[in-house]
């Protein structure tokens, strides 16, 4: 496994760096199509209608899906919740309604795309993708539902990206169970899977005849199906009245057309995020 330092990555245009910083401030995950980052059934512990958390940390992730190289990037963090109805967090901007064990909502998100010749501080990429072309930044619409069944939370999210050249459809499924360890610490275990349509799979894992000529990879038609399955664990610890320490680790296995893509070097990827935040 090769780790790349942000200091060694190729220079990008000022627009790309500024946009990447803003995007990372709102969406720290490589693909922001999952569930809202906030525990959908956790009380914010504040008498005010507003709950705001600001923080910073670092993320460790592959240079692209299917890569065996990893890089570390700084991660600014923000999470804002208003009246338990509207949230802005690492999944995007969401509006939702909930009653008892059910939460239903929707919102907007985006995907940062991919560079063909290297990664920036926040955006994935690798020179082994040369000739495949860049995948553009895309805005996305999303709908989600969570249901709390005893100690277990079941979740599903549908995300549709809207950019030309990055307009795929994703459906995420999630099962998670939080376990409280005392008054300050919560550990949450997760199982998840993602289904992707043909447009998404071809964009990220396929090779067209033109791309084959410029990249050297063989022509590959990627089809729809389950893109990945995985498991994760999240640790949240309150350091005091307002300070919060969070760590999140995920192990993901590519499946179907993603696993057999000619650009996939490793079908196992991992992601790790550590963050300290202050809740107002």
């Amino acid at each position: 496994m090769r780790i790349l330092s942000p200091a060694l990555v190729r220079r990008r245009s000022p627009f790309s760096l500024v946009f990447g910083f803003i995007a990372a401030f709102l969406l720290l995950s490589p693909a922001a199509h999952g569930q809202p980052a906030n525990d959908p059934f956790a009380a914010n512990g504040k008498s005010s209608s507003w709950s705001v958390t600001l923080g910073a940390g670092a993320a460790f992730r592959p240079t692209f899906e299917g890569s065996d190289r990893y890089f570390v990037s700084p991660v600014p963090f923000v999470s804002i919740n208003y009246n338990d109805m509207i949230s802005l967090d690492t999944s995007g901007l969401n509006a939702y309604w909930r009653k008892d064990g059910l939460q239903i909502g929707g919102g907007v998100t985006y995907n940062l795309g991919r560079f063909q010749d290297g990664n920036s501080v926040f955006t994935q990429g690798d020179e082994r993708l040369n000739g495949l072309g860049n995948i553009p930044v895309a805005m996305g619409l999303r709908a989600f539902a969570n249901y709390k069944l005893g100690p277990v939370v079941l979740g599903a999210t549908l995300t549709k990206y809207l950019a030309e050249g990055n307009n795929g459809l994703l459906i995420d499924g999630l099962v998670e169970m939080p376990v409280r360890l005392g008054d300050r610490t919560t550990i949450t275990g997760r199982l998840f899977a993602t289904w992707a349509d043909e447009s998404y799979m071809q964009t990220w894992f396929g090779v067209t005849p033109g791309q084959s000529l410029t990249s050297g990879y063989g022509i590959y038609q990627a089809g729809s199906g389950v893109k990945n399955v995985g498991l994760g664990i999240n640790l949240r610890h309150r350091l005091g009245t307002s300070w919060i320490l969070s760590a999140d680790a995920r192990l993901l296995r590519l499946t179907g057309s993603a696993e057999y893509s000619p650009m996939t070097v490793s079908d196992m990827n991992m992601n790790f995020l550590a963050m300290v935040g202050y809740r107002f």
Side-chain angles (χ1 to χ4, degrees), residues 25 38 44 46 48-55 77-83 86 88 241-244 277-280:
F25 193 74
N38 291 322
N44 61 30
K46 300 288 186 178
S48 170
S49 296
W50 290 91
S51 175
V52 179
T53 302
L54 299 178
F77 178 84
V78 61
S79 176
I80 302 172
N81 187 284
Y82 174 68
N83 206 30
I86 299 174
L88 176 67
T241 304
S242 299
W243 287 97
I244 301 170
Y278 184 86
R279 175 173 289 176
F280 295 88

Side-chain angles (χ1 to χ4, degrees), residues 222-238:
S224 62
V226 176
K227 177 177 75 74
N228 63 259
V229 297
L231 54 87
I233 187 168
N234 175 268
L235 170 68
R236 289 190 182 186
H237 178 72
R238 289 192 295 111

Side-chain angles (χ1 to χ4, degrees), residues 18 35 72 93 95 98 102 124 128 155 166 175 181 230 274:
V18 171
Q35 296 290 314
V72 179
L93 178 63
R98 70 178 179 180
L102 177 65
Q124 292 181 311
R128 291 175 293 183
N166 191 0
V175 179
L181 303 178

Side-chain angles (χ1 to χ4, degrees), residues 129-143:
L129 304 175
N130 280 346
L132 295 175
N134 294 332
I135 298 176
V137 173
M139 296 295 296
L141 300 177
R142 60 199 301 274

Side-chain angles (χ1 to χ4, degrees), residues 9-267:
V9 300
R10 195 163 300 188
R11 289 186 176 273
R12 300 291 171 193
S13 69
F15 173 79
S16 296
L17 294 177
V18 171
F19 190 92
F21 182 87
I22 295 172
F25 193 74
L26 298 175
L27 307 168
L28 59 88
S29 61
H33 54 266
Q35 296 290 314
N38 291 322
D39 180 346
F41 302 103
N44 61 30
K46 300 288 186 178
S47 59
S48 170
S49 296
W50 290 91
S51 175
V52 179
T53 302
L54 299 178
F60 176 82
R61 55 187 176 140
T63 55
F64 62 91
E65 287 187 281
S67 175
D68 61 347
R69 299 176 184 173
Y70 289 77
F71 71 108
V72 179
S73 62
V75 177
F77 178 84
V78 61
S79 176
I80 302 172
N81 187 284
Y82 174 68
N83 206 30
D84 197 24
M85 292 171 46
I86 299 174
S87 67
L88 176 67
D89 57 34
T90 58
S91 67
L93 178 63
N94 306 288
Y96 59 89
W97 168 88
R98 70 178 179 180
K99 183 177 181 181
D100 300 326
L102 177 65
Q103 181 199 46
I104 299 175
V108 295
T109 186
Y110 56 85
N111 181 289
L112 295 181
R114 188 181 70 191
F115 289 126
Q116 66 171 336
D117 56 354
N119 61 292
S120 74
V121 175
F122 299 114
T123 305
Q124 292 181 311
D126 195 309
E127 70 275 4
R128 291 175 293 183
L129 304 175
N130 280 346
L132 295 175
N134 294 332
I135 298 176
V137 173
M139 296 295 296
L141 300 177
R142 60 199 301 274
F144 58 86
N146 295 295
Y147 184 71
K148 189 172 184 180
L149 185 64
V152 176
V153 176
L154 308 176
T157 301
L158 185 149
T159 304
K160 172 63 176 177
Y161 293 113
L162 305 174
E164 183 178 356
N166 191 0
N167 60 358
L169 174 70
L170 296 171
I171 300 176
D172 292 275
L174 171 72
V175 179
E176 68 177 20
M177 186 173 74
V179 177
R180 293 185 63 86
L181 303 178
D183 295 332
R184 294 177 176 266
T185 305
T186 301
I187 295 180
T188 302
R190 297 188 179 100
L191 298 174
F192 57 88
T194 301
W195 179 93
D197 70 354
E198 184 176 353
S199 175
Y200 183 96
M201 296 295 279
Q202 183 63 23
T203 297
W204 291 85
F205 298 100
V207 181
T208 66
Q211 290 173 326
S212 178
L213 290 175
T214 56
S215 69
Y217 291 113
I219 297 172
Y220 183 70
Q221 180 64 42
S224 62
V226 176
K227 177 177 75 74
N228 63 259
V229 297
L231 54 87
I233 187 168
N234 175 268
L235 170 68
R236 289 190 182 186
H237 178 72
R238 289 192 295 111
L239 300 173
T241 304
S242 299
W243 287 97
I244 301 170
L245 176 66
S246 177
D248 191 272
R250 293 188 302 160
L251 181 64
L252 178 151
R253 187 183 188 282
L254 295 177
T255 60
S257 291
E259 177 183 2
Y260 296 108
S261 170
M263 69 194 71
T264 296
V265 182
S266 172
D267 60 9

